[in-house]
Amino acid sequence: MSQGILTIHHDYESGTTVEGTTRNSPAHLTLKAHPSWTWSRYATAWLLRSSRHRQSKPYAINEIERMLTEAGYTVERDIVDTMPSVEQQETELSERMDVRADRLTERAGKLQVKADATRAKAEAVFDSIPAGQPLLVDHHSYKADRNRRELAWNNLGKSIEQCAYADKLAQQAETASHHMGARNNPVSVGNRIEKLEADRRRLQRELDGEPGWITETDQQGQEQHRWGIRHPTRERADYLRRELTTLTEQIDYWKGVYAQLQSEGKASALGPDTVAKGDWVLCNGMWMRVRRVNKKSVTVPNPAFPSPRPGDKEATWTIAWHKLRGHRTTEQMPPEVVEAYEAPDADRISLSPRPSDTP
């Protein structure tokens, strides 16, 4: 017997939800026991975690549909994968972070007022007790005095907890207010582009087919394993194409953001055309000498290790171009630094001049 009809809905704003459940029903218990689903008072439905403001997750939807079907429900789908442009997504994210910062600031202020009032109640009791006045065990007021003091101590402890939580909310508000600035930091943007490009290459390899073990069933129903090129199923291929399109849009947008930061002088414009072996580059507040120049990165000595002795191998460090903050030729560096930098067992961190120093 069918338990009823449920709808799995998804759109960009609401995320993925299961609608039509009732309290303590088999569907309610199934979703409650699943770690990826939570009850959303905002949507008044069961919500898939981390599904808002992004495209649907086919495998999570397939899994919960199978579980609900096994519980006796008829499951319908209402999936809308339309996404706004990346620029619009970033604008909406900025607006949401502003709202979050304002809401947290307001909550922190109200809680701080409440903490001050709770502490004032406790201090009013303590101030009414003469200095050094003990509890008078045999006095008729003993019980009332004891209860009054215990309540005051409880209020004092409660006010400390409320104050600590108000500070936490204020810190969260501060973080939210700086979120977009950190998100659009040149190094963060460069790191994001690197990750998106790596994700795109990974998905493209899977779509094109990768070598691996392939499991097949022969005429007798026995499983056979052979080495070959594994191609995704049609459903998986459709998902990969969708994700590749999304990644390409994001990469193009963030490359435009990075180019704008470069034009404003906020992001590094250094590359293999401007830096040569033997030059010096600035990263994390330290000047380091270039050992190799590659298309995507530069190789320098690892500053955590002293310079090698004759015959020893030098420990190196590879840095992406977008993480560099300055460039000098050897002639532009202080001569004493250049000489000491190559000396055996030199502490290269202490040798590095401050970024503001001029040769």
Side-chain angles (χ1 to χ4, degrees):
M1 180 179 177
S2 175
Q3 296 281 0
I5 300 176
L6 301 177
T7 301
I8 299 178
H9 173 80
H10 177 87
D11 62 60
Y12 173 78
E13 184 63 32
S14 302
T16 304
T17 57
V18 175
E19 302 170 354
T21 62
T22 56
R23 190 173 182 85
N24 295 326
S25 63
H28 172 99
L29 298 176
T30 299
L31 289 160
K32 184 177 181 180
H34 199 293
S36 297
W37 292 82
T38 183
W39 177 257
S40 170
R41 290 181 295 175
Y42 168 81
T44 62
W46 287 94
L47 174 68
L48 178 64
R49 299 179 190 273
S50 302
S51 64
R52 296 189 64 198
H53 305 117
R54 60 189 64 192
Q55 290 178 304
S56 62
K57 302 176 181 180
Y59 297 98
I61 292 175
N62 291 342
E63 179 193 24
I64 202 62
E65 181 181 20
R66 175 185 56 79
M67 295 175 68
L68 294 174
T69 301
E70 292 175 353
Y73 290 89
T74 300
V75 181
E76 298 177 350
R77 292 193 184 193
D78 179 21
I79 308 298
V80 180
D81 269 329
T82 304
M83 295 272 288
S85 66
V86 181
E87 182 177 4
Q88 185 176 346
Q89 292 178 44
E90 291 299 309
T91 300
E92 292 177 357
L93 175 61
S94 178
E95 293 173 353
R96 292 197 301 272
M97 297 310 297
D98 288 341
V99 172
R100 174 177 170 80
D102 293 341
R103 185 174 66 249
L104 288 170
T105 300
E106 182 181 0
R107 287 180 60 194
K110 289 181 178 179
L111 191 59
Q112 186 62 56
V113 171
K114 188 175 181 180
D116 293 341
T118 305
R119 187 180 186 91
K121 290 181 182 179
E123 291 179 345
V125 174
F126 295 138
D127 291 343
S128 66
I129 300 174
Q133 173 67 57
L135 283 168
L136 304 177
V137 179
D138 296 327
H139 196 270
H140 67 85
S141 65
Y142 166 73
K143 186 175 181 180
D145 188 25
R146 184 192 62 189
N147 292 340
R148 185 168 57 253
R149 295 189 190 207
E150 288 180 354
L151 179 60
W153 281 111
N154 290 338
N155 282 333
L156 183 60
K158 185 185 296 185
S159 70
I160 293 173
E161 293 177 358
Q162 291 171 337
C163 188
Y165 190 43
D167 289 342
K168 179 181 178 180
L169 293 176
Q171 291 173 2
Q172 291 177 346
E174 183 74 10
T175 300
S177 66
H178 291 92
H179 177 84
M180 296 309 295
R183 183 172 176 81
N184 289 280
N185 178 276
V187 175
S188 298
V189 173
N191 290 339
R192 188 173 300 115
I193 293 171
E194 277 191 345
K195 182 182 184 303
L196 292 171
E197 289 180 333
D199 290 341
R200 184 171 63 177
R201 291 192 299 270
R202 174 175 55 81
L203 296 184
Q204 188 63 55
R205 288 194 301 268
E206 184 180 353
L207 180 62
D208 295 338
E210 296 181 290
W213 287 103
I214 301 174
T215 302
E216 297 176 334
T217 304
D218 59 19
Q219 296 179 352
Q220 289 74 33
Q222 300 293 324
E223 289 188 351
Q224 301 292 331
H225 304 279
R226 65 178 180 86
W227 185 264
I229 301 299
R230 295 184 300 184
H231 293 281
T233 63
R234 178 176 297 181
E235 182 182 16
R236 178 66 177 175
D238 291 341
Y239 170 77
L240 292 172
R241 293 189 187 97
R242 188 196 76 176
E243 291 298 299
L244 286 168
T245 300
T246 301
L247 287 171
T248 299
E249 293 174 356
Q250 293 176 341
I251 290 169
D252 292 343
Y253 171 80
W254 287 111
K255 281 188 173 180
V257 171
Y258 194 78
Q260 179 66 27
L261 291 172
Q262 286 180 317
S263 66
E264 296 172 356
K266 298 177 181 178
S268 172
L270 299 175
D273 297 332
T274 55
V275 178
K277 180 180 179 180
D279 287 354
W280 297 73
V281 291
L282 177 66
C283 181
N284 294 338
M286 292 181 290
W287 287 98
M288 294 167 281
R289 199 163 198 176
V290 177
R291 297 306 191 206
R292 283 193 304 276
V293 174
N294 303 309
K295 182 179 179 180
K296 295 185 177 181
S297 61
V298 62
T299 301
V300 298
N302 191 326
F305 297 89
S307 54
R309 297 177 182 180
D312 292 344
K313 185 177 180 180
E314 184 175 49
T316 57
W317 191 16
T318 301
I319 307 174
W321 289 111
H322 67 268
K323 296 182 180 179
L324 301 179
R325 285 289 167 266
H327 167 239
R328 289 179 182 175
T329 63
T330 299
E331 292 73 19
Q332 295 173 317
M333 290 293 290
E336 62 276 11
V337 172
V338 176
E339 181 179 358
Y341 193 85
E342 304 296 349
D345 293 327
D347 182 0
R348 287 168 167 168
I349 294 179
S350 62
L351 284 174
S352 177
R354 294 187 303 274
S356 58
D357 286 349
T358 55

